[in-house]
């Protein structure tokens, strides 16, 4: 399952998308945060890639995270390392 999200940004003087994409691009694995139908948080590791100014993640359709994304496409993505933090 591949999703192509339009980035929704809130500028708080932090980073613009170009800088975020530059920091995300070298990684292969990310943490994806979604919510269940009941509103509970759900975090799962995913493979991803930044390509042509878009961020793509991979998931099988039968996984909980994919089902959550179909129901509610709002997500949080961050690098797997706590040493180099980028949260989108």
């Amino acid at each position: 399952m591949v999703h192509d999200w339009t980035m929704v940004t809130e500028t708080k003087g932090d980073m613009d998308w170009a800088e975020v994409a530059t920091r995300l691009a070298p990684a292969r694995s990310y943490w994806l945060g979604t919510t269940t139908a009941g509103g509970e948080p759900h975090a799962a590791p995913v493979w991803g890639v930044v390509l042509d100014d878009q961020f793509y993640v991979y998931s099988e359709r039968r996984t909980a995270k994919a089902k959550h994304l179909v129901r509610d496409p709002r997500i949080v993505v961050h690098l797997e390392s706590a040493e180099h933090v980028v949260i989108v």
Side-chain angles (χ1 to χ4, degrees):
M1 176 176 202
V2 176
H3 277 276
D4 176 6
W5 287 285
T6 302
M7 297 304 295
V8 177
T9 59
E10 292 182 20
T11 304
K12 296 181 182 176
D14 297 323
M15 289 186 230
D16 62 17
W17 171 245
E19 186 175 353
V20 170
T22 298
R23 300 223 3 228
L24 290 176
R28 181 181 84 170
S29 300
Y30 305 85
W31 282 96
L32 179 73
T34 61
T35 55
T36 68
E40 295 86 6
H42 180 263
V46 294
W47 287 349
V49 64
V50 175
L51 182 63
D52 295 331
D53 244 1
Q54 297 290 316
F55 179 71
Y56 299 88
V57 298
Y58 174 80
S59 179
E60 295 288 334
R61 291 184 187 274
R62 67 180 181 266
T63 64
K65 62 185 163 276
K67 292 174 184 175
H68 299 163
L69 289 170
V70 168
R71 185 187 46 74
D72 184 351
R74 294 175 297 167
I75 62 168
V76 172
V77 175
H78 61 86
L79 295 168
E80 67 179 339
S81 169
E83 299 294 319
H84 305 283
V85 177
V86 177
I87 301 172
V88 182

